[in-house]
Amino acid sequence: MVRSEPPALALESITCTFPAAARDDQPYTAVREASVRVGKGEFVSLIGPTGCGKSTLLNVAAGLMAPTSGSVLVEGAPLRGLNRDAGYLFQADALIPWRSALDNIAAGLQFHGVDRAERTERAQHWLERVGLAGFGNRYPHQLSGGMRKRVALAQTLILDPKIILMDEPFSALDAQTRELMENELLELWSSDRKSVLFITHDLEEAISLSDRVVVLSAGPAAGPIGEFAIDLARPRDVSEVRMTKRFLELHRKIWELLKAEVLKSHVRQKHA
Amino acid sequence: MSGRSTPSGPLMILYRLVFLLALFAIWHALTESGLLPRFFFGSPLLVLEKAARWFASGKIYKHLAITLLETVLAFGCGTLLGLATGLWLALAPAASSLLDPYIKGANAMPRVILAPIFAVWFGLGILSKVALGITLVFFIVFFNVYQGVKEVSPVVLSNARMLGATRRDLLRHIYLPSATSWVFSSLHTSVGMAFVGAVVGEYLGSAAGVGYLILQAEGAFDINTVFAGILVLTAFALLLDWIVTVTERHLLRWRPTSEGARLSNR
Ligand SMILES: Nc1ncnc2c1ncn2[C@@H]1O[C@H](COP(=O)(O)OP(=O)(O)OP(=O)(O)O)[C@@H](O)[C@H]1O
Ligand SMILES: [Mg+2]
């Protein structure tokens, strides 16, 4: 992409070193010199073997964690503190357990000082948008895993963030629910083209959702080792797109690269 | 938990009443037959008569009201103090590690020995009983609040921060609700402790309250009145506990019940 406009989000030569857990341990460098850019309105997936440092990179992008070295640029400006332009969809359940679905969705507006009547109305609208119209009064534990993810999605999107960070948001869901959610995500995304950094270790998910897939090497000292533009036509249906020839070609190409890393990480974890 | 043969609600209540009657009957038989000396063990009929007379004459209400007032005040003040201190120390690690041994020490000390000191400081009125109750309630609430703040899921916290929560928002919308939910789940213990503080305080020196009635009767070797007092206190404690149960069910309805958690697909 040759544009004068700076990328929505840029991770520049990020290195993250964790201090040693025990006295005779070495400090652990999870990520070294990793650079990832997300253009405006672009959907980028970050894929890599488990434990390679995907969540770490996303936490850095969110400003929840300071990198040991390197910088984060948001629309060209260095990030200080939390990334206020970003919404974060966590891998684990992050809903507030003592708030109903509706109040969870409204939480962000409440923190931003929107008055009760307005935030309830807007939360109600989002509740409907994620298909949970009748479930506003339920507490998180009364919702299914897929419903909780929908609430979390609405909770993040209601604030209209310019950048959305997602950490394996659907990995805990069953295959059918997952496909449904992926399609819903694509639909929501296509309506106002946010910049998305999406983490997954599922290659099919990465290809079917993204504009670009970035492959990370196995840790320690992980970093991007390959980038693939996904030139599948949009709008896409995630289950249909998986049958196309182009999808299979891309899958084979990326998998060749990824497979070696997955094996490496597997061997390392076994002998750790 | 309930076995196949456990009878349902109303029948169970009936069985429980039968059990209670049986206890009184045995007590009655043992003391009437002279197997147990009546001077030390009283007589259930006289005990019940005494209790009935208290209620009929209305004499008991004043004393119950005093005991209740002490309980409520001790519970309220102890809870507020415990809540504030717990929140503060849980969010201020330096102060927490400074005060840690003192709090542990104060909690380990049997608080009842403070009752005479409080009597000297605050007199024989309700204040000294409330003070004793507070020292009992405070630590229960304090430790629960401390735990509640520490147990807040880091993911929920990060999520709230990403949604724009300031430090004050976090305190008000995350830490405080989490802490209070722990306080609510220790409600039975803390209300019970406030009650213990009130009655023990009265018993050790006072001019009113159910504990005072018992103290007086003991002085006159009136064992039946002592038992009547204990009976009234027990019934009253059960009533308080029931109120707590109802309140708790309402306040903690967002929590998965153990049954629901087992059934849900988490
Ligand atoms: N706080 C920490 N202290 C020490 N090491 C850490 C810490 N957080 C993460 N790590 C290490 O950094 C590496 C990367 O962790 P990270 O959570 O980013 O992996 P991931 O790619 O998200 O894995 P997964 O796909 O399983 O979620 C791991 O090897 C992990 O052990
Ligand atoms: Mg992760």
Side-chain angles (χ1 to χ4, degrees), chain B residues 85-146:
Chain B
T85 318
L87 276 175
W88 173 50
L89 286 191
L91 297 174
S96 153
S97 58
L98 173 74
L99 293 179
D100 181 70
Y102 299 101
I103 291 188
K104 287 212 179 96
N107 183 42
M109 179 184 62
R111 254 67 44 77
V112 176
I113 55 165
L114 292 177
I117 301 179
F118 287 149
V120 174
W121 288 354
F122 303 114
L124 291 181
I126 66 169
L127 271 189
S128 54
K129 285 84 204 169
V130 172
L132 182 62
I134 288 177
T135 63
L136 294 170
V137 172
F138 172 82
F139 288 96
I140 299 165
V141 174
F142 170 80
F143 286 114
N144 273 289
V145 167
Y146 193 84

Side-chain angles (χ1 to χ4, degrees), chain B residues 225-242:
Chain B
T225 308
V226 172
F227 275 119
I230 294 174
L231 203 65
V232 170
L233 279 181
T234 309
F236 196 64
L238 281 176
L239 183 72
L240 276 180
D241 199 66
W242 176 75

Side-chain angles (χ1 to χ4, degrees), chain A residues 94 98-99 110 112 141 155, chain B residues 159 163 173-174 177 254-256:
Chain A
W98 50 86
R99 285 182 168 226
Q110 185 176 9
H112 282 86
H141 80 270
Q155 188 184 52
Chain B
N159 190 27
L163 292 171
H173 296 292
I174 309 290
W254 58 270
R255 266 206 187 167

Side-chain angles (χ1 to χ4, degrees), chain A residues 55 91 167-168:
Chain A
S55 300
Q91 179 169 2
D167 191 356
E168 306 191 32

Side-chain angles (χ1 to χ4, degrees), chain B residues 17-29:
Chain B
L17 283 175
V18 170
F19 184 75
L20 184 66
L21 279 179
L23 281 184
F24 273 94
I26 292 170
W27 182 10
H28 183 72

Side-chain angles (χ1 to χ4, degrees), chain A residues 18-19 21 28-31 48-57 59 65 91 167-168 199-201 216 269:
Chain A
F18 292 107
Y28 183 81
T29 301
V31 194
T50 175
C52 73
K54 302 182 294 292
S55 300
T56 306
L57 273 179
N59 285 334
M65 190 182 135
Q91 179 169 2
D167 191 356
E168 306 191 32
I199 285 184
T200 177
H201 51 228
L216 287 180
Q269 287 190 351

